[in-house]
């Protein structure tokens, strides 16, 4: 690519040479994620992956795609870009694990107003870290300059993840029944949802509000809010191997009310005990600052529970022990009860 350059295109706002520099800077981070399934050379036109299907009689591929949303605005204001890629991986990998699928590979797409190689490399370093946490390979991606459509300091990131599960082991809501226990897995904070409301509550249009030290948090608001989304893949795969898991729900946009019913069959509802788990201080701070009703909080944010799974009552204590041994705090937060429609009742 040494001879590839265009002064005419550069004058229009697209610097292809900067793109090549970005690729060189991110190469080391990307190769950290490689495993024996990765085929082909870095920088090809398509990412290639040969899955190991040993022990899987009927492989089903499960895919998910998502972005990070307006949390990116905070990263841009603070000029801190090395964790937002973790969020991008988490938003996809945490979705496909809900089916019991093991993530295999991930691809990212970054659109920016101006390609600043060091910044792009920083973003991709976060993507690579997220892939390592999810146990998958980063096998490709794309960076595109969009001058005139985005400001020079603006960017957006989205991703795509594919995993595999044996058809006979797909986790769905068919086995969930009244009397089952709902296990909640602790979140690392706000994760990557509700940031349009957060920015409104704190008036985040510039850097200053993010630099305020909040005593109840023990850190600045910006440090708290940029905490990357927890990736639950490895603890849940361990749990699935040891306990019968009947349903899993990722508590992302829409909070408890939208997501928990997605792992419940018709004729049941979730009864959640609010005092059974720890609600991190950031949520109380948001609620008080914005004078937000409790129901809206639980319908927007994860409130300290980033993922839930459903198990039989006899397996509940074992499930909590397995998850905590795997490195994530877990709580028995409620039960599945009979109800006319799948919903959530907070008590």
């Amino acid at each position: 690519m040494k001879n590839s350059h265009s002064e005419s295109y550069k004058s229009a706002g697209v610097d292809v040479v900067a793109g090549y520099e970005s690729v060189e800077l991110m190469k080391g981070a990307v190769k950290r994620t490689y495993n024996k399934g990765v085929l082909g050379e870095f920088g090809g036109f398509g990412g290639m992956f040969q899955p190991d299907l040993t022990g899987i009689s009927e492989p089903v591929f499960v895919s998910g795609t998502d972005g990070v949303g307006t949390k990116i605005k905070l990263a841009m204001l603070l000029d801190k870009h090395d964790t937002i890629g973790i969020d991008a991986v988490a938003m996809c990998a945490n979705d496909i694990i809900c089916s019991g699928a093991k993530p295999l590979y991930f691809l990212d797409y970054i659109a920016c107003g101006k390609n600043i190689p060091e910044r792009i490399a920083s973003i991709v370093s976060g993507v690579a870290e997220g892939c390592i946490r999810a146990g998958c390979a980063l096998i490709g991606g794309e960076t595109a300059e969009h001058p005139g459509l985005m400001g020079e300091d603006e960017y957006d990131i989205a991703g795509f993840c594919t995993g595999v599960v044996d058809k006979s082991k797909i986790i769905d809501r068919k086995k969930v029944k009244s009397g089952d226990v709902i296990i909640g897995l602790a979140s690392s904070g706000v994760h990557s949802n509700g940031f349009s409301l957060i920015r409104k509550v704190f008036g985040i249009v510039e850097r200053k509000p993010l630099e305020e030290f909040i005593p109840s948090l023990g850190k600045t608001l910006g440090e708290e809010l940029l905490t990357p989304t927890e990736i639950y893949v490895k603890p849940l795969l361990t749990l699935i191997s040891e306990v019968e898991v009947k349903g899993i729900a990722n508590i992302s946009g829409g909070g408890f009310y939208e997501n928990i019913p997605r792992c419940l069959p018709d004729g049941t509802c979730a009864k959640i005990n609010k005092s059974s788990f720890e609600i991190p201080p950031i949520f109380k701070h948001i609620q008080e600052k914005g004078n937000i009703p409790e129901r809206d909080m639980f319908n927007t944010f994860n409130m300290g529970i980033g993922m839930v799974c459903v198990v039989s009552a006899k397996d509940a204590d074992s499930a909590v022990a397995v998850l905590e041994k795997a490195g994530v705090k877990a709580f028995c937060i409620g039960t599945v009860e009979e109800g006319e429609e799948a919903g959530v009742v907070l008590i």
Side-chain angles (χ1 to χ4, degrees):
M1 298 181 184
K2 292 180 179 179
N3 294 324
S4 179
H5 57 83
S6 171
E7 291 302 320
S8 298
Y9 208 7
K10 185 176 181 179
S11 69
V14 178
D15 186 353
V16 294
V17 175
Y20 305 145
E21 291 176 0
S22 297
V23 170
E24 286 301 313
L25 289 174
M26 70 177 70
K27 187 179 293 186
V30 173
K31 289 192 173 183
R32 285 178 60 219
T33 74
Y34 280 13
N35 53 43
K36 63 182 181 180
V38 179
L39 302 178
E41 295 294 325
F42 177 80
F45 285 100
M48 293 186 286
F49 191 91
Q50 182 178 15
D52 180 0
L53 301 179
T54 304
I56 301 178
S57 58
E58 293 183 278
V60 175
F61 292 96
V62 182
S63 297
T65 185
D66 208 340
V68 180
T70 60
K71 182 175 184 176
I72 291 176
K73 185 69 174 178
L74 279 63
M76 291 189 290
L77 287 171
L78 290 171
D79 194 24
K80 186 179 188 324
H81 313 284
D82 60 342
T83 61
I84 209 74
I86 300 175
D87 293 299
V89 176
M91 296 295 282
C92 300
N94 283 345
D95 274 352
I96 68 172
I97 189 61
C98 292
S99 302
K102 181 185 186 310
L104 298 174
Y105 57 81
F106 185 87
L107 292 91
D108 61 39
Y109 177 82
I110 301 170
C112 57
K114 181 178 176 60
N115 188 329
I116 301 173
E118 293 77 13
R119 184 173 64 191
I120 297 299
S122 182
I123 296 168
V124 175
S125 73
V127 176
E129 175 61 28
C131 287
I132 291 169
R133 296 184 186 187
C136 62
L138 176 56
I139 64 170
E142 178 69 19
T143 301
E145 281 186 290
H146 291 166
L149 182 62
M150 308 174 78
E152 288 194 355
D153 291 329
E154 294 181 328
Y155 66 89
D156 197 6
I157 181 172
F160 174 92
C161 190
T162 295
V164 66
V165 61
D166 200 322
K167 187 176 181 179
S168 65
K169 298 180 180 179
I170 292 174
I171 295 174
D172 53 30
R173 56 190 182 178
K174 293 178 181 177
K175 294 182 180 180
V176 175
K177 62 183 181 180
S178 178
D180 286 341
V181 174
I182 300 170
I183 308 295
L185 284 65
S187 70
S188 57
V190 178
H191 285 182
S192 298
N193 301 103
F195 276 85
S196 293
L197 177 56
I198 287 171
R199 289 186 299 114
K200 178 184 177 183
V201 166
F202 295 105
I204 301 173
V205 293
E206 58 182 3
R207 184 182 180 121
K208 188 175 180 180
L210 297 171
E211 295 177 327
E212 180 184 356
F213 182 84
I214 310 297
S216 64
L217 306 178
K219 61 184 72 172
T220 67
L221 181 63
E223 288 171 333
E224 174 66 33
L225 294 176
L226 277 187
T227 301
T229 305
E230 187 73 26
I231 296 178
Y232 297 99
V233 170
K234 292 179 180 179
L236 282 174
L237 286 174
T238 299
L239 179 66
I240 291 166
S241 70
E242 299 189 27
V243 174
E244 182 186 20
V245 178
K246 300 182 178 184
I248 305 176
N250 182 16
I251 311 302
S252 53
F256 280 43
Y257 285 101
E258 181 176 323
N259 292 293
I260 294 179
R262 296 167 70 178
C263 71
L264 302 178
D266 293 339
T268 63
C269 67
K271 185 175 287 185
I272 304 295
N273 183 350
K274 294 180 294 184
S275 64
S276 63
F277 58 93
E278 303 169 15
I279 299 179
I282 181 60
F283 296 108
K284 182 178 181 181
H285 188 58
I286 294 168
Q287 184 175 9
E288 292 178 349
K289 182 76 173 179
N291 192 27
I292 301 172
E294 182 183 71
R295 193 190 190 287
D296 286 359
M297 291 294 296
F298 277 90
N299 208 159
T300 305
F301 303 107
N302 66 63
M303 300 302 287
I305 299 295
M307 187 79 75
V308 302
C309 57
V310 181
V311 300
S312 296
K314 65 180 179 62
D315 293 326
D317 290 341
S318 295
V320 170
V322 168
L323 289 167
E324 298 211 333
K325 186 177 180 180
V328 60
K329 286 186 178 180
F331 315 90
C332 293
I333 67 169
T335 54
V336 178
E337 306 287 345
E338 293 183 359
E340 292 185 4
E341 59 180 276
V344 175
V345 177
L346 298 179
I347 59 173

